[in-house]
């Protein structure tokens, strides 16, 4: 038996409205919806069975909650994003340790829990940062192991250095080597030691300039 339900989503500004409408278009809903946007609210007519309407309302409210948490900082000054939302918007997927280490090197707060990232960096900047990491990953993914990427990629993006040059520098400083038989760069030291040695060298070079 078909039923109808109307819900109203209140938004603070045009940015929130645009983000919500963009996410709403991506939703795969079992129910039929008709959307009417007003100045500070969006009226949504939902038609379908009771179960379809219930599922639609849950999904609609969930995306609105996610949008608000990524557009507006909480009392601690932090935004909350799901990794899936970041990767989908950036059009690339990278490992969580690489993203977290990059944010840490940039001096940003970053805490990951159950695929949700709470951080001090705004939405548009984390999307841009993820795209940069994705591009660097594409440049060196075939010739590197996962461990070495977790050191090389954050450094490449934070210091704005070509990732290939970072790999060469890692070999020069003795923290990595190129394995001819595997056609891959691998770490010689553990990640923490390698990162510490690289950071000392890179910040030392900056101070000398």
């Amino acid at each position: 038996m078909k039923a109808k339900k109307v819900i109203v989503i209140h938004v603070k500004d045009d940015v929130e409205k645009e983000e919500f409408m963009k996410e709403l278009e991506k939703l795969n809903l079992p129910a039929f919806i008709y959307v009417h946007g007003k100045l500070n609210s969006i009226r949504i007519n939902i038609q379908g069975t009771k179960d379809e309407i219930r599922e639609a309302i849950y999904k609609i409210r969930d995306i609105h909650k996610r949008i608000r948490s990524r557009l507006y900082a909480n009392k601690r000054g932090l935004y909350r994003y799901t990794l899936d939302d970041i990767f989908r918007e950036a059009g690339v997927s990278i490992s969580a340790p690489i993203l977290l280490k990059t944010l840490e090197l940039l001096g940003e707060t970053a805490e990951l829990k159950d695929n949700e990232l709470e951080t001090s960096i705004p939405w548009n900047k984390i999307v841009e940062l993820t795209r940069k990491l994705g591009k660097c990953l594409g440049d060196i993914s075939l010739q590197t192991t996962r461990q070495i990427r977790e050191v090389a990629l954050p450094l490449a993006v934070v210091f704005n250095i070509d990732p290939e040059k970072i790999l060469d520098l890692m070999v020069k400083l003795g923290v990595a080597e190129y394995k001819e038989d595997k056609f891959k760069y691998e770490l010689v030291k553990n990640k923490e030691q390698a990162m510490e040695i690289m950071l000392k060298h890179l910040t030392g070079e900056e101070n000398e300039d």
Side-chain angles (χ1 to χ4, degrees), residues 66 80-87 115-117 123:
R66 294 207 321 267
R80 190 182 293 118
Y81 318 120
T82 68
L83 290 182
D84 293 340
D85 283 349
I86 296 170
F87 298 154
N115 203 43
E116 278 200 344
L117 177 67
W123 174 247

Side-chain angles (χ1 to χ4, degrees), residues 7 27 29 46 51-66:
I7 62 170
L27 271 188
L29 296 173
I46 309 168
D51 286 342
E52 287 170 348
I53 290 172
R54 193 180 300 116
E55 184 184 342
I57 290 172
Y58 172 78
K59 287 184 174 180
I60 289 165
R61 294 202 189 284
D62 181 59
I63 63 163
H64 188 225
K65 179 183 160 193
R66 294 207 321 267

Side-chain angles (χ1 to χ4, degrees), residues 142-203:
L142 295 177
Q143 72 218 59
T144 51
T145 60
R146 179 179 58 82
Q147 294 273 329
I148 199 170
R149 288 196 290 270
E150 289 179 11
V151 178
L153 291 178
L155 291 172
V157 169
V158 170
F159 290 94
N160 197 25
I161 299 173
D162 186 291
E164 298 268 6
K165 289 184 179 177
I166 290 286
L167 292 176
D168 291 341
L169 186 57
M170 291 178 83
V171 172
K172 182 181 168 186
L173 293 176
V175 300
E177 63 182 6
Y178 184 71
K179 295 287 183 78
E180 295 281 353
D181 56 331
K182 298 178 184 175
F183 303 105
K184 282 186 188 290
Y185 289 89
E186 292 184 2
L187 284 180
V188 175
K189 298 185 179 292
N190 67 40
K191 282 187 300 183
E192 289 73 22
Q193 287 175 319
M195 184 63 83
E196 187 181 346
I197 291 166
M198 290 294 290
L199 281 172
K200 275 183 183 174
H201 182 81
L202 290 166
T203 52

